[in-house]
Amino acid sequence: MHDERRRIEERVERLHTQRIKPAIYAATVPFEVEAWQAPGEPVPFAEAAAAPYEPFTMDTPWGPPWGTTWFRMRGEVPTGFAGRRVEAVIDLGFVGDWPGNQAEALVHRLDGTPLKAVNPLNQYVPIANPATGGEPVEYLVEAASNPDILANDFAAPTPLGDVLTAGDKPLYTFKRADIAVLDEEVWHLDLDLQVLRGLMVHLGEHEPRRHEIMHTLDRAMDALDLDDIAGSAAAVRAVLAPALARPAHASAHVISGVGHAHIDSAWLWPIRETKRKTSRTFSNVTSLADEYDDFIFACSQAQQYEWVRDNYPHVWARIQESVKKGQWAPVGGMWVEADGNLPGGEAIARQLIHGKRFFIEHFGVETKGVWLPDSFGYTAAYPQLAKLAGNEWFLTQKISWNQTNKFPHHTFWWEGIDGTRIFTHFPPVDTYNARFSGEEMDRAVRNYSEKGAGTRSLAPFGWGDGGGGPTREIMERARRLADLEGSPKVVVEHPDEFFAKAREEYPDAPVWVGELYLELHRATYTSQARTKQGNRRSEHRLREAELWATTAALHAPGYAYPYEKLDRLWKTVLLHQFHDILPGSSIAWVHREAEAEYARVAEELEALTTEAVVALGGGSARVFNTSPYPRAEVVRTTEGAPVYVEVPASGSASLSDAAPARPVTVTGRVLDNGLVRVDVAEDGTLSSVYDLRADREVLAEPGNLLRLHTDLPNYWDAWDIDKHYRNRYTDLLDAESVTVVEDGPLVGAIRVERAFGKGSRIAQTITVRAGSARIDIETEIDWHEAEKILKAGFPVDIRAPHSSAEIQFGHIQRPTHTNTSWEAARFEVSGHRWLHIGEPGYGVAVINDSTYGHDVSRTVREDGGTTTRVSLSLVRAPRVPDPEADQGRHRFTYSLLPGAAIADAVAEGYALNLPLRVADAAGAPEPVVSVDGEGVTVEAVKLADDRSGDVVVRLYESRGGRATGTVRTGFPLAGAEVTDLLERPLEDAEITAEGAVAVALRPFQVLTLRLRRGEATGAR
């Protein structure tokens, strides 16, 4: 047989694209359209309905960036359309085919009921199958003119990312608003061809099935009457039917499809636009559920449900009905799909608590899995926290983006730092926006790593990132692929069903231990430093407010615990941990608003904490310690005078009870407190840090070396830092001034000021305090660089085989060598409050109050010693998607702690992030809880969410070893239970004869205790 592949494939492509697709809508009549441009921000439907509208014609530009235009559309179904499938078809002037960041609209009835959204791939609104024709049709359409921030593949900065800089030039040209007849036979023919063509081109050229499909398509085109596409469509489909009826092989891979609409809670649009995106997407999804009984949609992010509940009650009611019918599956059990590395441990716990409770309360559904496809790496703390929240499975996708190494598994057990394992799946289709194309089906099978052991994988299908969701075309492709030779089998089902089947067939799946590190998007540990600082401060302020509110509730008669305020503030912080807000990868508008929100959160939490402390009674000045560790350190009075005090863990002490401390001496540029001696060089670096206790020099080279690197990644500016950044840099060694600003006896400090780059300035105050080996470097930056990253390096004279970085409820070890490509790819890593390096007998910690990005490298010197360099990534200057990212002023502190064990790093990490508070209080109430036992660390103290008055304490083992201890209470204890994260009982806790709670923890175990009080204390 002659090879006619090219002729046939080109013939089919042309006829399909140029003749069949245009014939899908058989007849059309235009709407009469009027328009009203809403001033400023979006307005409620009632205001839009009462607005004055003006005539509007097609092919007219409309829509300034971030604007809202309301269109009134009036029409009448022609009598000739009677008995046929009639739809409104609207094209706002769509750009490309991504439904996300561009023109989008929600279509309403005149009574305000949302019907359905329109976007580039979902342009229709069902009208009906009219019986006679002549029926009037009238809509009000809320159209958003969001700019296409992704234009030109992020090649250049754009001012469109903020309403303040975007201008007012119209972005779109309205193309079409018609009443149209959908020719269902032609529409189905289009879908038949999509599936068969997609299957054909991805089958191997040696496959008989490919050639059978090709010749079938050729014969089908012979049956197509070019002068009567609609009249011949049935005949063409009849030729194709046998090819579509051939069943799949018995051993065909099974793909469990579940509808999905990834909606970033903010990204290339602000939060206010996400609220509207949810209404559009969810309207489309519930409409699709009415058309397809076999449709199932999985949706995460309780925050988005709450927005719909509060702003779109009609859509909310339709969601509730779909959940009851089993067509809508709440998943994920988190408040938002948060970043997987940067939120603190308690914050991830609260993500799970608030998310799962929302779904239980509003739908009677307890989600079984963590649904987190698009975060930029995943902390090794997740397996334990997920299980403690009652989850059975974990889903991720983003690891498919790895820059260097291909992740070896798709179905596996993920083991966390404490040993907890959770069944995990990573869809081989390599997308969470699947469309059941031939290319995707082929990739899923070829890519699947578990062949020979597992037979199934998951495919979330539907347009996403900016929403959109599944379409009827995707559902039709799924139906055709249910049992088709040459293709994997597709079944639409609930993700819980998929995970149950996958685990049953593959219970001994391989185990991956530790973090799921994404070999890409490493700059998200640093970009938008003020957003990250706002999150860190908020997490610690929430801890502080809860602790002292609980103390006041127990000891201050009449004080009412602020349940509602704390709940609202937690949810605000949780929202901003979304995986494109906290990582710093959103447009300017998002980060401008985030910084303002964090300022409001700080103000409210300061007021709540002050209220709680004041409720304990006025009197003498006291020092309050929110840290779970006792502290002896210098604190300043309200007048600014330094005082050295000792304060118990989670307790207070009188400011007048000053403790003795060896003074700090300042000689020239040398600071000495008897524990460490710090020599500041003329250039402002640390020429020496000498540990007087260990009698050894800490540094191998000058420390606190500020290094300005060129930082232009290959793509994704705000997201990525590529290894070549290391190759070009300038060391900042020209100090304008090095000045002693405090010379003892309790504090010694030297201020170093520099100017550099394009008008940037940095001032650092290097501080040594009495009684502490911690050397603080308080940093103020006025930053005006572009495409640069500033790092602070500490080359330490330690041969460290690994570094240990704090993560949620523990720490993780990473090799300092680069023996393998996996280790080499970790050239930038995340850490929380501290990073530690050590050799037997000696260690050093680098501590911070708001920095997450680090790198650790090692070199062997000519003298045979090893230099291990720890560098902190302080601030970046990407220009896309926010051209002004990180510009302006920053203020933060990082510290060097010589002679530190892991336990010291833990304690000082808390101390730096939870400054001692000075306030007036009459008495010295007992700490709510106190703990003895090395390694047992209290992370949260609060009243139970059910308002029973019980006290909830969350603690964990922080050093990486087994720990036993005793939890004592500052109130009469009547009973104690171990609970899950949602404060539901798991087992009774052991109460000792002294009325305390005995605990025994495995390494990094998290334990939640619910403590029942023995008598009323006036608390509410």
Side-chain angles (χ1 to χ4, degrees), residues 828-887:
E828 184 83 0
V829 296
S830 65
H832 281 225
R833 291 170 290 210
W834 54 266
L835 187 143
H836 180 272
I837 57 172
E839 62 189 20
Y842 195 79
V844 171
V846 177
I847 300 166
N848 71 83
D849 72 357
S850 58
T851 301
Y852 294 88
H854 301 76
D855 73 82
V856 183
S857 59
R858 61 197 290 275
T859 57
V860 176
R861 305 187 297 271
E862 290 186 3
D863 65 4
T866 300
T867 300
T868 304
R869 176 183 291 270
V870 177
S871 296
L872 295 89
S873 300
L874 302 181
V875 64
R876 295 186 73 229
R879 302 182 67 207
V880 177
D882 176 5
E884 298 297 317
D886 279 320
Q887 299 299 299

Side-chain angles (χ1 to χ4, degrees), residues 299-319:
C299 186
S300 64
Q301 305 197 80
Q303 172 69 88
Q304 295 184 1
Y305 287 77
E306 186 174 80
W307 285 334
V308 173
R309 183 198 67 188
D310 294 345
N311 298 297
Y312 299 91
H314 292 97
V315 179
W316 173 249
R318 287 157 61 181
I319 292 172

Side-chain angles (χ1 to χ4, degrees), residues 681-751:
E682 288 185 12
D683 61 14
T685 62
L686 304 183
S687 59
S688 172
V689 173
Y690 200 85
D691 188 336
L692 297 168
R693 300 160 301 173
D695 192 22
R696 65 181 283 172
E697 174 62 45
V698 175
L699 300 176
E701 302 169 22
N704 192 38
L705 176 63
L706 297 173
R707 184 165 280 177
L708 185 67
H709 295 261
T710 297
D711 178 24
L712 183 65
N714 294 341
Y715 196 57
W716 301 105
D717 291 20
W719 291 257
D720 287 353
I721 180 171
D722 287 333
K723 190 178 290 187
H724 53 250
Y725 87 89
R726 294 175 168 178
N727 301 336
R728 188 175 180 86
Y729 59 84
T730 300
D731 290 338
L732 305 186
L733 296 174
D734 296 327
E736 288 185 342
S737 62
V738 181
T739 310
V740 174
V741 292
E742 201 155 4
D743 59 1
L746 294 179
V747 180
I750 295 174
R751 184 176 177 87

Side-chain angles (χ1 to χ4, degrees), residues 22 47 62 68 107 298 311 445 557 587 638 659 677 702 715 887 892 928:
E47 183 177 340
W62 70 277
T68 302
V107 180
N311 298 297
V445 175
I587 56 174
T638 54
R677 184 174 65 238
Y715 196 57
Q887 299 299 299
F892 50 83
V928 177

Side-chain angles (χ1 to χ4, degrees), residues 435 564 660:
R435 300 183 290 279
E564 290 88 355

Side-chain angles (χ1 to χ4, degrees), residues 99-100 104 117 119 122 260-263 277 280-285 297 462-471:
E104 302 174 68
N119 62 50
N122 210 332
H260 187 227
H262 186 67
I263 306 177
K277 284 178 176 291
R280 299 177 197 128
T281 296
F282 295 170
S283 294
N284 284 355
V285 169
F297 178 71
W463 293 90
D465 289 333
T471 64

Side-chain angles (χ1 to χ4, degrees), residues 209-224:
R209 175 67 163 155
R210 174 172 181 149
H211 296 270
E212 290 166 3
I213 294 173
M214 179 182 67
H215 288 287
T216 299
L217 290 171
D218 196 29
R219 291 194 302 273
M221 294 305 97
D222 290 339
L224 184 68

Side-chain angles (χ1 to χ4, degrees), residues 776-823:
D776 289 344
I777 302 168
E778 301 166 55
T779 302
E780 302 167 57
I781 302 178
D782 189 9
W783 179 249
H784 298 286
E785 303 309 299
E787 295 170 350
K788 298 288 192 293
I789 183 169
L790 181 65
K791 283 180 168 271
F794 293 92
V796 180
D797 188 7
I798 283 179
R799 183 171 175 81
H802 60 259
S803 64
S804 299
E806 186 188 40
I807 63 170
Q808 301 83 351
F809 294 111
H811 59 266
I812 187 170
Q813 294 182 343
R814 301 179 177 107
T816 56
H817 58 73
T818 55
N819 283 354
T820 71
S821 59
W822 293 88
E823 292 149 358

